Amino acid sequence: MERIYFDNASTTNLNAEVLNAMLPVMTDNFGNSESVHSFGRDAQNLVDTARDTIAETINAKSNEIYFTSSGSEANTWAIIGIAMANRDKGNHIITSKIEHVSVLNACAYLEKNGFDVTYLDVDKNGFIRFDKLLNEIRPETLMIAIMSANNEIGTIQNIKAIARTAHEKNIIFMTDAVQLYGHMEIDVEDMEIDAMTMSAHKLHGPKGVGCLYFKNGIKIDPIIFGGNQERGKRGGTTNTPGIVGFARASAIAHANMRIYNHKLKSLSEYFEAKLTESVENVIINANIKQKLPHIISVTFVGVDGESLMTKLDMNGIAVSMGSACTSNSLTVSHVISALGIQADNARSTLRFSFSTSNTFEEIDKAVAIIKQAVEELRAYSSTYSMKIRKRKGDKNV
């Protein structure tokens, strides 16, 4: 059976060029970058070069890039580390209801430790409202944390305007750019970003490596303790092969960004057209221009999303009900709920996300399978409902 992968917002396949860059680091340049001998120095040179590469892609200074084990760790570190280091400025944080769970859980931790957190509502397309943001700012607000692009619906926030609003009130601005990085140009200076998170495996790099950018002069406490790695800010042996792979994947993504985005947009538009033409009663959520080109959230009205996802998987098609970090939970996606979508429709919503490895032929095959699966589930649901009504003595059946 042919397998089709439409879950690239969860993770992407490793680029062969990235793998080739990593292999010699695993076999030949295996030294610990903190060691003072030649093996260590060779590894440190590779890390320094990778740091330069990633810094260049976002117009940052190399000493503002700190490597982590993932985007989730970077988000946790940014939220908790900045809050703890700057609590003399206040104890209030503003974020949104559609943030990644790593941000929401970090904020929940801070709430248990004396901080007050405001969770902003969003509109039906996932945008925060500036009037609501302004109303929530207080003298004790120390940080605003709003993601650049949402991982379930793809909405891209106006980060530059939000950051400027924060700085007008002397507030630190942090953004989760894990989904945006590699898909859109980011200039941390022009966009006035104080702290930003990224992850390698979202752009055909390796899993197990991410990074946190934070602007020189911003105070941050470590949350992982060990040696003096990452200039004393994060303990733990440096993942040199992963970091080299991250830098290579970043360089490839940024060099080909325009070409990649054009293909991703074409794939998404083709999928939407074929799906809405072939399957009745589907809703494309956040169907707007200001969104990532590769993420599509679809509500299949009257269909249980988990059952549909399972049927598609049995037919070789990989999709998700939302973030991979929460997809094993049977609860409704907090992002979809925040859009104001009714619970029944929220449970009927799946996320499709593409990469440049996908093809139009795959979409044709997938839509045919989706159509059949949806029709079968709706027919079963209708038959089951009729049986229940008969048992209850409904004379209209």
Side-chain angles (χ1 to χ4, degrees):
M1 179 175 60
E2 179 186 2
R3 295 200 299 171
I4 299 173
Y5 187 76
F6 288 163
D7 197 21
N8 290 278
S10 295
T11 195
T12 55
N13 64 311
L14 187 66
N15 183 298
E17 194 174 330
V18 172
L19 176 62
N20 290 334
M22 294 172 62
L23 287 175
V25 187
M26 297 178 179
T27 56
D28 302 329
N29 302 108
F30 57 85
N32 188 324
S33 63
E34 294 299 310
S35 299
V36 296
H37 48 60
S38 62
F39 290 86
R41 292 195 302 274
D42 288 345
Q44 187 60 58
N45 286 337
L46 291 172
V47 172
D48 289 343
T49 299
R51 206 184 305 273
D52 291 343
T53 297
I54 292 174
E56 186 176 351
T57 63
I58 60 172
N59 191 31
K61 299 178 179 64
S62 292
N63 66 356
E64 294 174 322
I65 300 296
Y66 294 80
F67 291 111
T68 65
S69 65
S70 64
S72 290
E73 185 203 322
N75 280 334
T76 304
W77 183 16
I79 297 293
I80 296 176
I82 290 174
M84 290 299 189
N86 294 274
R87 62 192 315 165
D88 57 319
K89 291 169 60 69
N91 70 334
H92 180 231
I93 295 165
I94 299 174
T95 188
S96 83
K97 291 182 178 179
I98 63 168
E99 298 299 308
H100 189 267
V101 288
S102 58
V103 169
L104 296 177
N105 288 341
C107 287
Y109 170 84
L110 290 174
E111 287 184 287
K112 295 177 182 178
N113 289 273
F115 287 83
D116 190 12
V117 180
T118 296
Y119 299 90
L120 295 173
D121 289 324
V122 295
D123 67 16
K124 65 179 182 179
N125 291 316
F127 291 108
I128 68 162
R129 288 177 50 182
F130 278 84
D131 58 339
K132 297 290 186 182
L133 173 61
L134 289 170
N135 286 340
E136 295 295 343
I137 292 175
R138 315 171 190 168
E140 62 270 24
T141 304
L142 71 91
M143 176 167 52
I144 295 174
I146 302 294
M147 70 192 328
S148 300
N150 187 264
N151 53 306
E152 293 190 33
I153 56 175
T155 300
I156 299 174
Q157 303 287 347
N158 190 341
I159 292 302
K160 185 174 181 178
I162 299 171
R164 184 167 296 168
T165 299
H167 292 153
E168 287 172 354
K169 304 291 184 179
N170 195 31
I171 297 168
I172 297 168
F173 176 71
M174 174 267 171
T175 187
D176 167 3
V178 167
Q179 291 291 344
L180 188 72
Y181 182 67
H183 289 287
M184 193 180 100
E185 295 289 351
I186 299 174
D187 185 326
V188 293
E189 288 293 328
D190 179 67
M191 298 168 76
E192 301 185 29
I193 296 170
D194 296 315
M196 184 176 77
T197 57
M198 297 158 277
S199 183
H201 74 105
K202 304 295 186 181
L203 59 154
H204 302 281
K207 297 175 183 65
V209 59
C211 75
L212 170 62
Y213 153 82
F214 64 89
K215 189 178 181 70
N216 287 333
I218 301 294
K219 292 191 296 182
I220 188 168
D221 284 349
I223 61 170
I224 294 181
F225 301 94
N228 292 317
Q229 293 91 351
E230 294 305 289
R231 301 182 297 286
K233 292 293 186 183
R234 179 192 181 272
T237 302
T238 303
N239 178 7
T240 307
I243 289 168
V244 168
F246 190 0
R248 189 70 196 120
S250 298
I252 294 169
H254 284 81
N256 297 281
M257 189 179 294
R258 184 173 297 181
I259 297 170
Y260 287 174
N261 282 343
H262 177 74
K263 180 173 182 182
L264 291 171
K265 185 179 179 183
S266 297
L267 287 169
S268 294
E269 289 177 347
Y270 185 75
F271 173 75
E272 288 185 21
K274 292 288 289 187
L275 185 69
T276 54
E277 173 189 297
S278 304
V279 184
E280 295 182 350
N281 293 327
V282 297
I283 301 169
I284 308 297
N285 301 307
N287 194 14
I288 51 176
K289 290 184 178 180
Q290 194 172 319
K291 68 186 292 289
L292 292 171
H294 67 295
I295 295 178
I296 301 176
S297 172
V298 184
T299 297
F300 296 87
V301 179
V303 177
D304 178 70
E306 186 184 2
S307 298
L308 178 56
M309 183 175 67
T310 302
K311 264 187 171 292
L312 296 183
D313 184 42
M314 291 172 63
N315 284 277
I317 301 172
V319 300
S320 71
M321 290 189 71
S323 170
C325 299
T326 56
S327 61
N328 62 348
S329 170
L330 296 180
T331 58
V332 173
S333 159
H334 69 281
V335 173
I336 301 303
S337 295
L339 301 184
I341 295 174
Q342 293 181 348
D344 286 347
N345 280 349
R347 283 189 286 269
S348 301
T349 300
L350 298 182
R351 179 186 68 182
F352 299 80
S353 48
F354 307 108
S355 82
T356 54
S357 300
N358 291 128
T359 66
F360 296 102
E361 290 76 19
E362 285 181 329
I363 289 174
D364 287 336
K365 292 175 183 177
V367 169
I369 292 170
I370 293 168
K371 174 181 171 63
Q372 181 177 348
V374 168
E375 289 175 349
E376 288 175 357
L377 288 170
R378 282 178 176 158
Y380 174 81
S381 177
S382 177
T383 302
Y384 179 77
S385 176
M386 189 174 295
K387 287 181 179 179
I388 294 297
R389 289 168 64 190
K390 282 183 177 179
R391 287 178 187 173
K392 292 182 177 180
D394 189 338
K395 296 180 180 180
N396 295 319
V397 176

